[in-house]
Amino acid sequence: MALRLFNDRDAMWPAMITDQEPLSVFRNMDREMKRMQRDIDHMFRHAISTLPEEDRRAFLERRANDHATSTVEERDGKKLLKYSFDLHNYKPEEIAVKAIDNAVTIHAKHEYHDQQGHNVFREYRRHFVLPEGVKAEHLQSKLANSGILAIEAPLPEGHKLTHHMEHCIPIQREDKKAIK
């Protein structure tokens, strides 16, 4: 049985035709994807290692806190807490911002049909908790033409932002047999 995995016109490499069993084809494809991910990780680590120490630290910190870029700005003598999200791949009507108590969720969903009739689906979801004293009812969100979503809230007078230390909580496994 011959199996064509890639359309010649759309692929970056030639179509793969094989007489292997379908499962072994997918195992090979999975193995190749993992190899490519390792290569990309290696190139990324090398590129990062060429940055000056301060830039490298700042970049890795931003990457670790991918959920949002947060800053404190002063406007009209008042301090504002501002979160920024890159949603350039979404239309304004595909984006929703919701707050429940002090928890904020940004959700964007985009779906379309490509020229071959395939459904293409993209989804973005970020969740964060507002710092103590910042009220969700005072939040404002603005979407720039560049696709950057800004969520702002005034900081209370004299408020000091505290950075919480993150720590990993080990997961204990129970060795109980599944109920049949």
Side-chain angles (χ1 to χ4, degrees):
M1 157 177 93
L3 179 65
R4 181 178 295 272
L5 292 179
F6 303 106
N7 182 332
D8 290 322
R9 190 180 41 177
D10 299 329
M12 291 172 43
W13 53 86
M16 181 187 302
I17 299 174
T18 180
D19 288 328
Q20 298 174 348
E21 291 294 317
L23 286 178
S24 65
V25 169
F26 290 115
R27 275 191 217 105
N28 289 341
M29 189 167 61
D30 184 55
R31 187 172 29 254
E32 184 63 16
M33 294 295 284
K34 287 177 182 174
R35 184 195 62 74
M36 289 189 307
Q37 182 64 48
R38 282 191 307 270
D39 290 348
I40 290 168
D41 289 344
H42 175 76
M43 289 186 300
F44 179 77
R45 281 192 303 275
H46 174 71
I48 293 298
S49 70
T50 62
L51 292 173
E53 180 64 29
E54 185 177 307
D55 293 341
R56 180 174 42 241
R57 199 174 313 120
F59 177 82
L60 292 173
E61 184 176 306
R62 280 193 310 272
R63 189 168 181 241
N65 296 320
D66 183 40
H67 67 280
T69 301
S70 62
T71 57
V72 175
E73 294 181 2
E74 193 158 332
R75 194 179 304 151
D76 300 327
K78 294 185 179 186
K79 288 187 178 183
L80 287 174
L81 177 61
K82 183 177 177 180
Y83 294 91
S84 299
F85 303 87
D86 184 358
L87 297 173
H88 73 274
N89 289 320
Y90 301 91
K91 299 174 188 170
E93 60 271 13
E94 297 173 331
I95 302 169
V97 179
K98 296 181 182 178
I100 299 175
D101 297 326
N102 66 338
V104 179
T105 300
I106 294 92
H107 183 229
K109 196 190 243 184
H110 180 71
E111 185 174 3
Y112 68 96
H113 303 287
D114 66 9
Q115 293 175 347
Q116 287 80 30
H118 300 108
N119 286 340
V120 179
F121 183 78
R122 180 184 306 123
E123 189 168 6
Y124 179 97
R125 183 181 302 270
R126 295 297 183 267
H127 179 83
F128 64 94
V129 177
L130 292 170
E132 190 175 321
V134 176
K135 305 234 182 268
E137 57 266 17
H138 296 140
L139 287 175
Q140 292 184 346
S141 64
K142 299 172 187 172
L143 184 63
N145 288 337
S146 64
I148 301 297
L149 175 70
I151 299 177
E152 300 175 345
L155 284 173
E157 288 289 324
H159 188 272
K160 301 271 190 221
L161 286 179
T162 57
H163 296 282
H164 300 282
M165 293 298 294
E166 180 180 305
H167 64 279
C168 294
I169 300 170
I171 300 171
Q172 295 178 356
R173 291 187 60 185
E174 294 183 18
D175 290 331
K176 294 182 181 176
K177 292 184 179 180
I179 299 172
K180 292 184 180 182

